[in-house]
Amino acid sequence: MAAIRPRSTVSAWRPPVPGIAEVFHARFTEHAYPAHVHDTWALMIVDGGRVDFALDRERHGAGVSDAVVLLPPGVVHDGRTVTEAGFRKRVLYLDTSVLPERLTGAAVDAPLLADPALRERVHALHLALRERGRDPLEAESRLAFVRERLHRWLAGRAPTAYGVPAAGLAVRLRELLDARVAEGLGLEEASAELGQVHPTHLIRSFRTAYGLPPHAYLTGRRVELARRLLLAGMRPAEAATAAGFYDQAHLTRHFGRHVGTSPARFARSGRT
């Protein structure tokens, strides 16, 4: 009896993260892309099977490995399955604020980047993007490190040295986050507020000073705010949005990790 092929599936959305035009997750069993171009960069990792593609009339193949595929804007490419099982992929479409078009030639010459650290960073960025109501600070931070690594490959040089992590810079960022717990703070906005500091230098400085990245610190502060609101009698759904979470489910997930119980149980505990 012939094996049943899994059906093709597609999931796509636009996250509230500057520089990312689209997130695209797909599983294809028979699909073949015609020759086409994008006005964005396409950053792809393959999670299953194998895909064959042509870029600027030269063919390449990619499967499950440590490699990352990077297709530049404006250059003709296609794509197709090469096995009966098809392939699974995750793609980020990045605009030219992340990577300038002047790096196109380097990407055409080497669209397959064999870099385990880069693949892990791209994977972590996808995890941060999969919850569509999630605060964008984590995704913005992870995108900054992906961008840094891509520049290292395409520009043919090591990442720019931004100096020793600065404790004073970390303190100033913490003050900004403390003042914006509920409404949040974007990474680019924080960088501008602190004197156009490079985002990765800002994150490294904060992590060195406090032992966790800015987005994790902000989540902890929001949980603390939600605790106070719950003990003051606010309902969990209202406390969630008042503390800066997307909804009650978003609060519940982080509240359980930080406090060891659900917001509703926590609120009831003082009344029993």
Side-chain angles (χ1 to χ4, degrees), residues 63-128:
V64 181
S65 68
D66 291 330
V68 173
V69 179
L70 181 65
L71 306 178
V75 180
V76 175
H77 60 279
D78 63 14
R80 65 192 182 197
T81 59
V82 292
T83 67
E84 288 192 3
F87 66 97
R88 289 183 293 113
K89 67 174 183 175
R90 287 176 288 168
V91 185
L92 299 173
Y93 292 98
L94 308 175
D95 65 35
T96 53
S97 68
V98 178
L99 294 173
E101 288 190 64
R102 63 179 171 79
L103 298 176
T104 293
V108 171
D109 292 341
L112 294 173
L113 309 179
D115 184 345
L118 174 59
R119 193 188 196 286
E120 183 56 35
R121 288 183 184 185
V122 174
H123 169 69
L125 176 53
H126 275 284
L127 293 181

Side-chain angles (χ1 to χ4, degrees), residues 194-211:
L194 297 173
Q196 297 298 333
V197 179
H198 193 277
T200 56
H201 181 54
L202 189 58
I203 296 164
R204 287 189 175 104
S205 295
F206 194 93
R207 188 159 46 196
T208 298
Y210 299 114

